[in-house]
Structures are given as C-alpha cells and as structure tokens.
C-alpha cells in the first residue's frame, strides 16, 4: 500500500512517462533513462520493506484515499 504522497506521485509520473514512450518514443536514450529511473525507484521501494511476500488482504480503502 502506498501511503506516502510522494511515492504515489512518482508512480504516476513513471506511468505517464511509460505511456509517452510507448506512444511516441523514438530516441533509445529516452528508454534507457526510463529504465534507469525505474531501477532507482525499485530500489527505494525495496528499502522501504514490504514486498511480494506480504499477502494482500481485501478490505475498505484507507481513509486518506477518500475524496476531500
């Protein structure tokens, strides 16, 4: 679960970047830059703990996800 707003923003930015590369990416350097940034972000997530070994348990979304 992503609780840190900066993590959410980073993930969204990576998703938009990936979509732009898929739609119009022509420079291989852009793909390399994306892959490097993705690896850096993966390292940040690994350092925060959690991981795929924690089972997802369905439930209500956290209160901070509610519209304001």
């Amino acid at each position: 679960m992503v609780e840190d707003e900066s993590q959410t923003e980073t993930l969204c930015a990576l998703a938009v970047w990936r979509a732009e590369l898929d739609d119009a990416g022509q420079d291989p350097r852009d793909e390399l830059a994306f892959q490097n940034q993705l690896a850096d972000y993966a390292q940040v997530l690994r350092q925060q703990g959690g991981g795929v070994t924690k089972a997802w348990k369905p439930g209500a979304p956290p209160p901070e996800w509610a519209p304001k």
Side-chain angles (χ1 to χ4, degrees), residues 34-64:
F34 175 81
Q35 293 299 328
N36 283 330
Q37 188 63 43
L38 189 61
D40 291 346
Y41 184 59
Q43 181 63 26
V44 168
L45 293 177
R46 275 193 288 283
Q47 289 174 347
Q48 288 181 350
V52 296
T53 58
K54 286 188 173 181
W56 176 74
K57 295 179 182 168
E64 60 268 14

Side-chain angles (χ1 to χ4, degrees), residues 1-25:
M1 176 172 68
V2 177
E3 294 178 2
D4 184 357
E5 190 173 319
S6 68
Q7 295 293 350
T8 302
E9 289 175 4
T10 300
L11 183 58
C12 290
L14 285 169
V16 169
W17 190 4
R18 178 76 261 166
E20 289 174 357
L21 286 173
D22 290 344
D23 290 343

Side-chain angles (χ1 to χ4, degrees), residues 17 21 26-36:
W17 190 4
L21 286 173
Q26 296 180 6
D27 189 341
R29 294 174 291 185
D30 292 337
E31 180 67 32
L32 291 172
F34 175 81
Q35 293 299 328
N36 283 330

